[in-house]
Amino acid sequence: MNLLLTDRPLTVSLPEGWEMVDLSQQTIAPCLGCFGCWTKTPGRCVLRDDAVAIYPRIAKSSRVLYVSAVVFGGYDVPMKTILERAIPIQKPYIRLLDGETHHVQRDVAPKDADIVAYGADTQEERDLFRRLVERNAKNMNFTAVRVHYTTMDQLDETVGEVLAQ
Amino acid sequence: MSLLILNGSPRAPRSNSKRYAEAFCRYWRGTVETENLLRGDVNALCAKAGEADQVLLVFPLYADGLPTVLLSFLKDWTRSMGEKKPTVSVLINCGFYEPEQNRVAVEMVRLFCKQTGCPFGSVLAIGSGEAILDTPFRFLVRRKLRKLAGAMAHGRAVSLQCTMPISKGMFLRASTTYWTRYGQRFGRTAAELDTMEIEEGT
């Protein structure tokens, strides 16, 4: 399964095997930080909104394409919200990965990831965003990840090119 | 010198960030006010932040970055920021052993400061922040909080960090015990916490 998560509507043709979720059309509350998905109902978020249909698809996907605006060198609110709500796919328990402590994954497919980022106007912000994505790779089971910078005007075109790769 | 502490935790009223902020206040000699960003009045919070000489952002690392509640506030504050630019400092904690895992989030706040013209102040980055306050090593955190408060009071910018002075192997064992006991409070076994299932069964 391949999953495209986007924070704004896109006009692109999806190749076979891809699904798209437009986060702007979903109702997703911020994570409560309650640790319920780790300690009360392991693997299930206590908030029963649209996120509960999305994080299992993130877990199952072996290719992901995340499309997000960049704010302060990180994901803008819609993408950040779903990434925070996806912690049920991890266990509370900690392991060592490359000598660093990270959470153990539940049944999460290793992922080949592409991130299409728009709105990062300076090299400094792009460099910081790339550092963030490199951190994500360790915590989100990315085996490979590529960051593609673009503008909002060029978004459909850039996403189309990435999907065609 | 007036200080506004903003708690950016998604569980602000019962957060570790609240405990860190309270511990910090023991060493702060000036005027201080603390507000939770969670469910706060954004306009009032932005106005308060704009009046303070210094702002201390206290928050946990979330998915390698700023928690959404803090990110949303910083966006709102950017839009409404006036002429006065408070110095912004950071008190961040993560549940991982390495305080260095907080660095990207700290840099995000630094970039916010650069984009808005606020001076960037001091940093205390805490590793093993979920548990350290309930261990004998809490004195290490308090020592760094005192240094942070002193630096901020004197207008010095420092970058501090701390974690438990134990091996990573010991940390792994301690964290396993911590989470297993956490689950037991809700009648969950270690095997249940360890499930591979996602959204299947309960």
Side-chain angles (χ1 to χ4, degrees):
Chain A
M1 179 178 170
N2 304 328
L3 180 65
L4 193 172
L5 281 182
T6 176
D7 67 355
R8 55 180 294 117
L10 297 173
T11 308
V12 292
S13 300
L14 287 178
E16 193 178 334
W18 280 86
E19 292 181 12
M20 177 161 62
V21 175
D22 178 359
L23 296 170
S24 70
Q25 302 303 310
Q26 308 289 312
T27 302
I28 302 173
C31 174
L32 298 174
C34 68
F35 295 135
C37 60
W38 286 348
T39 60
K40 290 183 186 173
T41 55
R44 282 170 61 92
C45 182
V46 300
L47 294 174
R48 308 308 295 167
D49 61 14
D50 291 342
V52 305
I54 299 174
Y55 61 73
R57 293 154 82 183
I58 293 176
K60 288 189 178 117
S61 298
S62 54
R63 272 202 76 185
V64 292
L65 168 51
Y66 297 161
V67 179
S68 178
V70 175
V71 178
F72 310 133
Y75 302 99
D76 200 357
V77 170
M79 186 63 68
K80 188 62 174 32
T81 302
I82 187 60
L83 294 179
E84 291 181 3
R85 288 290 303 283
I87 67 163
I89 74 175
Q90 299 182 338
K91 301 178 184 183
Y93 295 122
I94 305 278
R95 60 174 170 159
L96 283 184
L97 176 68
D98 301 331
E100 249 183 15
T101 55
H102 293 280
H103 287 286
V104 181
Q105 306 280 323
R106 299 193 197 277
D107 188 9
V108 176
K111 297 175 200 321
D112 186 84
D114 286 281
I115 316 293
V116 172
Y118 62 95
D121 297 328
T122 66
Q123 192 59 47
E124 182 181 22
E125 187 156 31
R126 291 180 176 199
D127 290 345
L128 182 54
F129 187 74
R130 193 176 297 277
R131 285 174 62 190
L132 169 68
V133 171
E134 285 166 6
R135 300 303 305 167
N136 292 161
K138 293 178 183 292
N139 289 315
M140 299 177 185
N141 223 15
F142 297 167
T143 50
V145 61
R146 295 162 294 276
V147 182
H148 313 266
Y149 293 105
T150 189
T151 61
M152 200 188 297
D153 293 344
Q154 296 287 313
L155 205 49
D156 284 336
E157 192 178 334
T158 305
V159 172
E161 287 169 2
V162 173
L163 284 170
Q165 285 171 3
Chain B
M1 180 178 288
S2 66
L3 169 65
L4 177 65
I5 296 178
L6 294 175
N7 182 338
S9 170
R11 50 179 182 151
R14 50 194 178 83
S15 60
N16 287 309
S17 294
K18 181 183 178 188
R19 298 175 71 191
Y20 287 119
E22 288 171 350
F24 170 89
C25 286
R26 285 186 217 149
Y27 305 110
W28 181 257
R29 300 289 171 237
T31 307
V32 60
E33 197 172 349
T34 302
E35 295 284 352
N36 295 333
L37 296 181
L38 186 69
R39 289 189 278 276
D41 178 334
V42 172
N43 292 332
L45 288 167
C46 289
K48 263 190 185 178
E51 290 164 7
D53 298 313
Q54 296 203 51
V55 170
L56 176 62
L57 302 175
V58 188
F59 60 96
L61 183 73
Y62 256 53
D64 304 308
L66 309 178
T68 302
V69 62
L70 175 59
L71 176 61
S72 297
F73 170 76
L74 293 181
K75 286 180 69 180
D76 288 331
W77 191 16
T78 299
R79 284 191 282 265
S80 66
M81 195 171 285
E83 290 298 308
K84 185 173 177 182
K85 311 285 187 185
T87 300
V88 178
S89 294
V90 172
L91 170 47
I92 181 173
N93 80 91
C94 70
F96 300 119
Y97 175 86
E98 302 86 3
E100 294 83 0
Q101 293 208 37
N102 295 304
R103 278 182 184 161
V104 167
V106 171
E107 291 308 308
M108 288 175 177
V109 176
R110 195 189 298 274
L111 186 57
F112 158 81
C113 287
K114 189 170 181 180
Q115 290 179 354
T116 57
C118 291
F120 185 78
S122 291
V123 177
L124 172 54
I126 300 170
S128 52
E130 178 65 25
I132 193 169
L133 285 178
D134 296 316
T135 73
F137 304 124
R138 70 180 72 88
F139 78 94
L140 293 171
V141 178
R142 289 176 181 161
R143 190 182 287 171
K144 293 294 171 90
L145 287 169
R146 190 170 63 230
K147 283 188 179 174
L148 177 69
M152 287 171 59
H154 291 95
R156 285 186 285 114
V158 296
S159 183
L160 308 166
Q161 62 179 40
C162 73
T163 190
M164 291 194 205
I166 59 177
S167 69
K168 291 193 182 183
M170 284 178 69
F171 178 83
L172 291 186
R173 289 192 290 278
S175 70
T176 298
T177 302
Y178 175 87
W179 287 111
T180 298
R181 287 182 179 157
Y182 207 134
Q184 285 169 348
R185 280 188 250 156
F186 304 108
R188 293 295 183 182
T189 64
E192 287 174 317
L193 267 59
D194 205 36
T195 181
M196 295 297 281
E197 289 189 356
I198 297 164
E199 277 296 318
E200 292 167 17
T202 52

